[in-house]
Amino acid sequence: DGGITQSPKYLFRKEGQNVTLSCEQNLNHDAMYWYRQDPGQGLRLIYYSQIVNDFQKGDIAEGYSVSREKKESFPLTVTSAQKNPTAFYLCASSIDTSGAVYNEQFFGPGTRLTVL
Amino acid sequence: AQKITQTQPGMFVQEKEAVTLDCTYDTSDPSYGLFWYKQPSSGEMIFLIYQGSYDQQNATEGRYSLNFQKARKSANLVISASQLGDSAMYFCAMRGNFVFGPGTRLSVLP
């Protein structure tokens, strides 16, 4: 089955520790995205990548870092510089970010990060 | 810059009735697409329906339809014959920088 996997579903970390969230897709999509969602809020774009070895900052990139060494993988690191990291993190992918207007994003199940 | 507004933080509807969730948008792009997603309490995002700015007809997908009024820059989601399983958060989003609205929480009453 094609889709996006995120692991783990729940993650607990102590304040001051870096933590890496996994995102893998087997849809052969070029573009991948990371969003943050706070309780009762919409999604905010952290980073996105249009192609391997390239990524762009979104609206709230401070305190986060990403890498895109493989087409199918786009891990997100939440660093100790992120002041309020407790949130729900969603990874998504799409065929690309340009070209056809119809370009649905497919989402993973999300990772709920709690920093103690 | 693109922006999505959803002015209804919460909505209630009786089971089997229809409900309209509002979405207005702002963009200077002549070509754009609008998406609606459903997010149940489990957190997953489920794609519901898409409307392209040049589409001549309003989009429909089963019980979901989109009331697209381009001049008013609105793309309201209509859910017909509501079911208890429709209770969830609903997000309007715009193609481009994938901007999402703040969402509307729909509660279907038995």
Side-chain angles (χ1 to χ4, degrees):
Chain A
D1 285 329
I4 301 176
T5 57
Q6 290 185 247
S7 60
K9 190 171 178 65
Y10 299 95
L11 190 56
F12 297 88
R13 279 294 182 269
K14 290 184 178 180
E15 194 172 344
Q17 289 182 334
N18 290 358
V19 59
T20 298
L21 280 59
S22 165
C23 177
E24 304 277 333
Q25 55 100 357
N26 61 4
L27 300 167
N28 200 32
H29 285 170
D30 283 325
M32 296 187 74
Y33 313 80
W34 273 105
Y35 290 93
R36 170 182 172 138
Q37 186 179 29
D38 293 289
Q41 305 292 318
L43 277 65
R44 291 184 292 169
L45 185 65
I46 305 172
Y47 268 98
Y48 68 98
S49 169
Q50 295 174 289
I51 200 167
V52 173
N53 292 324
D54 181 68
F55 45 84
Q56 308 293 330
K57 292 182 179 180
D59 301 322
I60 56 166
E62 186 175 349
Y64 300 97
S65 65
V66 293
S67 63
R68 187 85 187 277
E69 297 177 2
K70 297 185 296 182
K71 186 175 185 177
E72 59 270 23
S73 179
F74 192 41
L76 173 75
T77 297
V78 184
T79 75
S80 56
Q82 169 50 234
K83 291 182 172 51
N84 186 16
T86 294
F88 187 54
Y89 291 87
L90 282 159
C91 179
S93 72
S94 62
I95 294 173
D96 57 39
T97 63
S98 61
V101 174
Y102 181 83
N103 198 352
E104 175 194 346
Q105 280 183 313
F106 294 81
F107 284 85
T111 292
R112 199 167 296 277
L113 173 65
T114 301
V115 175
L116 306 172
Chain B
Q2 297 176 334
K3 185 179 178 182
I4 298 280
T5 301
Q6 294 179 255
T7 58
Q8 307 153 313
M11 288 282 287
F12 291 90
V13 65
Q14 208 69 39
E15 194 179 6
K16 299 180 185 177
E17 292 187 349
V19 63
T20 298
L21 306 183
D22 294 342
C23 171
T24 57
Y25 59 91
D26 189 19
T27 181
S28 56
D29 292 338
S31 179
Y32 52 89
L34 293 151
F35 299 80
W36 275 92
Y37 288 88
K38 171 184 178 182
Q39 187 180 41
S41 58
S42 59
E44 62 190 300
M45 295 287 283
I46 302 168
F47 166 72
L48 296 178
I49 196 167
Y50 165 83
Q51 179 81 47
S53 59
Y54 289 117
D55 291 345
Q56 295 297 314
Q57 294 184 327
N58 287 344
T60 61
E61 288 286 348
R63 294 187 299 112
Y64 304 107
S65 61
L66 215 150
N67 184 0
F68 182 50
Q69 298 187 45
K70 194 172 180 178
R72 293 186 175 185
K73 293 189 174 180
S74 74
N76 299 338
L77 176 70
V78 180
I79 304 175
S80 63
S82 296
Q83 301 171 356
L84 296 178
D86 293 335
S87 294
M89 285 289 289
Y90 288 81
F91 293 97
C92 182
M94 179 175 286
R95 169 77 175 85
N97 287 334
F98 292 97
V99 176
F100 283 76
T104 295
R105 181 172 297 281
L106 176 66
S107 299
V108 180
L109 306 174

